[in-house]
């Protein structure tokens, strides 16, 4: 493993002040492009103002999907591309992307035929409820689009009786349901980071830095600032790619280009810890319409249930959070599907929000705005001697295809050859992944023997990191010990994440390197314990250590609905779970 600490990376940036391509924004689109260009041997710099995948790329509904709903907007190409990319992710990132059986409750036979047809031909953009016939047509088409490379079963319809028996407590007004297959992603933030680490392993000319902001520019010079130290850098790029997602227009302004290409909508989700709801899902995603015909989802997620999302136009992507009104809206829409399951306020263990970087649009409803991706090119002018390519929109699912399309254009611009394809390239812990249960058992037995970890612990690490779990061996030796406040994590594991995985802040660990926050497992004592480990490795003084903790707690309260009082009252996993 080619480990590089931050200072080494900053020294490299200091020495090399000009790159063929500079990518602004380390969400999934920027990261995908960075990996794609590094594969082609291009010297590329990626700068991310916060942590990798801290923006829209951590706020998704965690579906890796074709987008059944987009068929109504006649976006076949998008659906076809998404299904292809979904299948590739199932193969290239099997440690985090898995099939998900999805069931649609249906409340009428023929509703929506007229409304869907109107939307299909572009004569209306009003949402409406969809009956069995419309859904049948959509699912049939979905199956046709995947027929040449089918990796999951075709759709099926379930009678009302079977639906009621399979999904206990589901709204009894339904006439039938339909089940089809898509996929979900467990750790999107980790998958993004693993691509950064893959490039680090393989390329000497590519460089990616989190906590590095594009502040301004003058002529050819881009002014960057390291938010951890305040150090400034002046660098140049032959081409600059603006992959700042919802912040694309604001970032273009920093390069003296006034654009209005983004029309973001905010989406919020809740994580609900409720045994009856979890049991009722029977391991399926329920893909349902609320009363206005908007599609919402709920599915099992780390022993809880993920429910969402809202879709609200916002003027600015800054500091969006799940408001009380959205919270209520999500719970009300959920009650339409499972009317008898009561959700108590304390069942909501986490919430998250983000802004979809959609293209600016004049459609009457947000659901009709295209989820397709596009490239906006601003040629060089009197303010800038370099062109700016903006990566607009897209879905997490399609990041690789989008990155490949932009990279192909950049190769032409740079007069370079395409030398490699990412289509079949495994990512991070998805490399050399066991193909079936017996291979997995052998992998685990061998890992457990070599590392001297119990089979249980080896399996936990495998679930979290895929085959990258092997890298933890060195940190989880016989001097390692479980965390006092979460016995399923160990000191060595947290030290590994901090040392090897570009951790700069406490929130990087809680929100993005682990699933501690989103799984609803955080408690105050655990946060303090992890902060102490971080502080020790970073050599922080008491003042800095306290400030880090206070900053993280304020952020968790404001952005994820986790009040300090709630965190103090939560049980310690050291007490209730044992490895
Ligand atoms: C609510 C919601 C639900 C979604 N659900 C799904 C889903 O289920 N499936 C799916 O496939 N897709 C889904 N998406 C879409 C998908 O998440 C986004 O399209 C994708 O993450 C966009 O990635 P991005 O890299 O363009 O933007 P971002 O992830 O926002 O990345 C942009 C980055 O640029 C950085 N930045 C901004 N300004 C600067 C600067 N000056 N200097 C340096 N860096 C800067 C930001 O900090 C940010 O990290 C969803 C999105 C949302 C919001």
């Amino acid at each position: 493993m080619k480990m590089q600490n931050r200072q080494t990376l900053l020294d490299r940036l200091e020495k090399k002040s000009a790159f063929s391509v500079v990518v602004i924004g380390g969400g999934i689109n920027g990261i995908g492009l960075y990996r794609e260009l590094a594969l082609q041997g291009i010297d590329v710099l990626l700068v991310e103002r916060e942590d990798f995948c801290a923006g829209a790329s951590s706020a998704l509904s965690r579906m890796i999907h074709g987008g059944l709903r987009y068929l109504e907007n006649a976006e076949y190409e998008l659906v076809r591309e998404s299904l292809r990319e979904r299948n590739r992710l199932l193969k290239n990132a099997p440690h985090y992307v898995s099939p998900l059986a999805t069931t649609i409750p249906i409340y009428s036979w023929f509703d929506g035929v007229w409304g869907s047809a109107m939307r299909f031909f572009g004569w209306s953009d009003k949402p409406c409820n969809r009956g069995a016939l419309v859904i049948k047509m959509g699912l049939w088409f979905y199956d046709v689009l995947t027929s040449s490379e089918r990796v999951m079963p075709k759709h099926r319809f379930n009678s009302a009786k079977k639906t009621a028996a399979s999904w206990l407590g589901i709204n009894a007004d339904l006439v039938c349901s339909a089940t089809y297959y898509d996929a979900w992603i467990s750790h999107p933030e980790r998958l993004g980071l693993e691509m950064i680490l893959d490039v680090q392993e393989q390329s000497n000319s590519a460089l990616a830095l989190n906590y590095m902001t594009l502040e301004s520019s003058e002529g050819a010079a881009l002014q960057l600032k390291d938010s951890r130290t305040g150090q400034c850098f002046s660098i140049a790029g032959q081409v600059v790619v603006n992959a700042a997602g919802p912040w694309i227009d604001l970032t273009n302004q920093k390069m003296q280009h006034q654009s209005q290409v983004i029309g973001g909508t905010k989406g919020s989700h809740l994580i609900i810890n409720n045994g009856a709801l979890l049991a009722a899902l029977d391991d399926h995603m329920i893909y349902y319409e609320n009363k206005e015909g908007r599609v919402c989802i709920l599915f099992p997620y780390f022993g809880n249930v993920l429910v969402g999302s809202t879709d609200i136009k916002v003027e600015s992507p800054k500091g969006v959070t799940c408001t009380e009104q959205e919270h209520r809206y999500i719970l009300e829409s959920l009650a339409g599907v499972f009317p008898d399951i009561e959700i108590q306020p304390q069942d909501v263990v986490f919430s998250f929000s983000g802004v979809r970087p959609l293209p600016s649009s004049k459609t009457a409803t947000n659901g009709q705005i295209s989820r397709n991706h596009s490239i906006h090119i601003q040629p060089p002018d009197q303010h800038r001697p370099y062109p700016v390519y903006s990566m607009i929109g897209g879905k997490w699912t399609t990041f690789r295809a989008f990155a490949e399309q932009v990279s192909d254009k950049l190769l032409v611009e740079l007069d370079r050859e395409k030398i490699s394809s990412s289509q079949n390239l495994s990512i991070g812990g998805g490399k050399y992944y066991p193909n079936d249960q017996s291979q997995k058992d052998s992998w685990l037995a061998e890992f457990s023997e070599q590392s001297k970890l119990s089979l249980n612990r080896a399996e936990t690490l495998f679930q979290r990191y895929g085959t990258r779990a092997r890298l933890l061996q060195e940190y989880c030796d016989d001097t390692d010990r479980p965390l006092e406040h979460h016995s399923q994590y160990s000191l060595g594991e947290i030290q590994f994440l901090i040392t090897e995985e570009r951790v700069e802040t406490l929130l990087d660990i809680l929100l993005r390197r682990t699933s501690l926050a989103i799984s609803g497992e955080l408690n105050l004592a655990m946060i303090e314990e992890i902060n102490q480990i971080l502080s020790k490795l970073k050599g922080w003084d008491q003042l800095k250590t306290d400030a880090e903790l206070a900053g993280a707690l304020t952020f968790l309260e404001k952005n994820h609905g986790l009040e300090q009082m709630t965190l103090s009252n939560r049980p310690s996993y050291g007490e209730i779970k044992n490895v």
Side-chain angles (χ1 to χ4, degrees):
M1 186 176 26
K2 202 161 86 186
M3 202 250 286
Q4 299 202 325
N5 68 27
R6 188 168 177 85
Q7 196 49 54
T8 320
L9 300 170
L10 293 175
D11 291 346
R12 278 180 60 197
L13 184 59
E14 182 107 72
K15 282 200 199 103
K16 182 170 164 60
S17 57
F19 291 81
S20 295
V21 181
V22 176
V23 181
I24 315 292
I28 196 56
N29 283 335
I31 293 175
L33 178 64
Y34 170 73
R35 177 179 80 141
E36 201 66 40
L37 290 171
L39 268 179
Q40 315 311 328
I42 303 292
D43 55 317
V44 49
L45 170 70
L46 169 80
V47 291
E48 163 54 49
R49 180 176 59 181
E50 295 182 35
D51 188 22
F52 302 115
C53 286
S57 300
S58 61
L60 69 159
S61 301
R62 292 172 190 245
M63 288 157 70
I64 295 296
H65 63 147
L68 185 59
R69 192 172 64 76
Y70 314 142
L71 286 176
E72 265 181 355
N73 303 349
E75 296 192 275
Y76 310 118
E77 246 337 289
L78 171 63
V79 178
R80 195 194 300 273
E81 180 180 69
S82 305
L83 287 169
R84 246 189 337 246
E85 292 303 316
R86 177 199 74 184
N87 289 356
R88 286 191 175 127
L89 277 168
L90 282 164
K91 218 168 79 210
N92 295 333
H95 55 321
Y96 296 147
V97 180
S98 318
L100 180 61
T102 301
T103 291
I104 313 176
I106 304 173
Y107 297 95
S108 79
W109 295 107
F110 301 110
D111 269 6
V113 176
W114 179 243
S116 291
M118 294 281 280
R119 280 201 306 283
F120 183 85
F121 290 112
W123 297 332
S124 162
D125 47 16
K126 288 199 186 67
C128 63
N129 293 100
R130 298 141 186 104
L133 184 61
V134 170
I135 290 169
K136 177 79 197 168
M137 278 166 15
L139 290 175
W140 172 81
F141 206 71
Y142 217 60
D143 282 342
V144 168
L145 287 176
T146 44
S147 57
S148 61
E149 42 172 333
R150 180 169 312 289
V151 296
M152 289 184 283
K154 284 185 178 177
H155 80 273
R156 62 171 190 273
F157 269 70
N158 316 300
S159 67
K161 197 166 155 202
K162 175 155 194 302
T163 306
S166 303
W167 295 281
L168 295 179
I170 201 158
N171 192 329
D173 293 342
L174 53 75
V175 295
C176 64
S177 68
T179 298
Y180 71 105
Y181 289 80
D182 248 325
W184 69 292
I185 179 163
S186 55
H187 303 76
E189 305 84 357
R190 285 201 53 81
L191 196 62
L193 176 85
E194 287 186 4
M195 284 190 263
I196 299 276
L197 299 175
D198 283 351
V199 172
Q200 174 173 298
E201 192 73 17
Q202 269 135 31
S203 161
N204 291 321
S205 55
L207 177 60
L209 280 153
N210 51 358
Y211 296 99
M212 186 65 75
T213 309
L214 170 74
E215 291 276 327
S216 60
S217 71
E218 207 180 325
L222 299 166
Q223 308 299 337
L224 306 179
K225 187 170 176 184
D226 174 6
S227 65
R228 304 305 291 165
T229 60
Q231 194 181 348
C232 293
F233 300 83
S234 177
I235 54 121
Q238 208 172 325
V239 183
V240 174
V241 178
N242 182 347
W247 296 270
I248 280 182
D249 290 323
L250 298 171
T251 304
N252 274 335
Q253 274 175 25
K254 295 186 183 206
M255 292 181 280
Q256 282 84 47
H257 169 41
Q258 303 301 324
S259 66
Q260 253 193 329
V261 291
I262 295 292
T265 73
K266 170 193 178 186
S268 297
H269 295 86
L270 302 180
I271 301 286
I272 296 178
N273 178 338
N274 180 296
L277 182 61
L278 181 64
L281 295 182
D282 191 30
D283 282 338
H284 278 228
M285 165 143 92
I286 305 290
Y287 186 85
Y288 65 98
E289 289 173 343
N290 63 14
K291 52 184 186 301
E292 311 113 64
R294 272 206 57 239
V295 173
C296 297
I297 50 119
L298 69 151
F299 67 97
Y301 191 74
F302 291 118
N304 299 315
V305 177
L306 187 156
V307 198
S309 63
T310 53
D311 197 0
I312 303 165
K313 267 226 158 94
V314 286
E315 289 306 317
S316 158
K318 218 172 145 206
V320 296
T321 59
C322 177
T323 61
E324 263 176 50
Q325 205 182 358
E326 287 179 279
H327 192 116
R328 236 185 353 261
Y329 173 91
I330 295 172
L331 292 186
E332 275 168 15
S333 83
L334 171 60
V337 202
F338 288 104
D340 298 329
I341 298 181
E342 269 193 42
I343 308 296
Q344 302 298 331
Q346 69 273 16
D347 293 349
V348 179
V349 292
F350 191 73
S351 65
F352 60 98
S353 250
V355 175
R356 301 174 183 87
L358 304 177
S360 73
S361 149
K362 291 199 166 45
T363 56
T365 60
N366 299 336
Q368 306 304 118
I369 305 174
S370 172
R371 266 51 175 174
N372 211 342
H373 44 76
S374 58
I375 312 167
H376 170 89
I377 304 173
Q378 182 67 22
D381 59 21
Q382 75 273 23
H383 304 296
R384 272 171 287 96
Y386 51 84
V388 179
Y389 283 57
S390 297
M391 294 179 78
I392 300 158
K395 297 163 36 161
W396 222 105
T397 309
T398 50
F399 80 84
R400 194 211 62 81
F402 190 15
E404 187 176 35
Q405 288 152 23
V406 179
S407 166
D408 287 351
K409 281 194 186 302
L410 292 176
L411 291 176
V412 173
E413 175 102 38
L414 297 169
D415 198 17
R416 296 280 294 265
E417 292 285 311
K418 184 167 183 169
I419 54 174
S420 189
S421 165
S422 57
Q423 283 184 7
N424 298 311
L425 192 66
S426 302
I427 303 171
K431 284 182 201 145
Y432 312 112
Y433 198 81
N435 283 327
D436 55 31
Q437 190 58 42
S438 107
Q439 280 189 20
K440 182 180 157 191
D441 291 344
S442 317
W443 193 96
L444 287 174
E446 196 191 314
F447 176 44
S448 160
E449 198 187 311
Q450 278 175 4
S451 61
K452 314 257 176 320
L453 295 170
S454 72
L455 210 50
N456 242 346
R457 175 78 178 137
E459 176 139 28
T460 300
L461 295 181
F462 179 77
Q463 271 168 13
R464 285 183 193 147
Y465 310 107
T467 53
R468 265 178 71 81
R470 276 196 196 283
L471 303 178
L472 277 97
Q473 200 166 314
E474 198 186 314
Y475 288 80
C476 301
D477 59 12
D478 47 15
T479 62
D480 194 20
R481 60 163 177 79
L483 292 191
E484 224 174 289
H485 299 283
H486 197 315
S487 60
Q488 301 219 325
Y489 279 84
S490 75
L491 172 66
E493 185 176 352
I494 301 295
Q495 287 172 333
F496 166 84
L497 297 175
I498 297 169
T499 316
E500 310 279 355
E501 295 204 339
R502 306 286 192 97
V503 164
E504 288 301 313
T505 71
L506 178 56
L507 288 171
D508 295 345
I509 307 176
L510 308 181
L511 291 168
R512 291 173 288 272
R513 301 303 178 276
T514 68
S515 305
L516 283 167
I518 199 165
S519 60
E521 288 174 85
L522 284 186
N523 64 57
L524 189 57
M526 185 199 308
I527 298 174
E528 284 169 347
E529 185 181 9
I530 294 175
N531 194 39
Q532 285 302 330
I533 302 170
L534 178 62
S535 163
K536 201 159 166 204
L537 278 180
K538 295 279 183 199
W540 291 342
D541 61 18
Q542 195 59 45
L543 207 66
K544 169 74 190 117
T545 310
D546 293 346
E548 186 68 21
L549 179 66
L553 292 176
T554 307
F555 187 93
L556 290 171
E557 176 164 351
K558 193 163 156 262
N559 292 278
H560 299 292
L562 290 173
E563 287 175 16
Q564 209 167 316
M565 180 74 99
T566 314
L567 288 171
S568 312
N569 292 335
R570 279 197 183 161
S572 161
Y573 281 79
E575 290 157 23
I576 60 175
K577 278 190 189 171
N578 276 309
V579 196

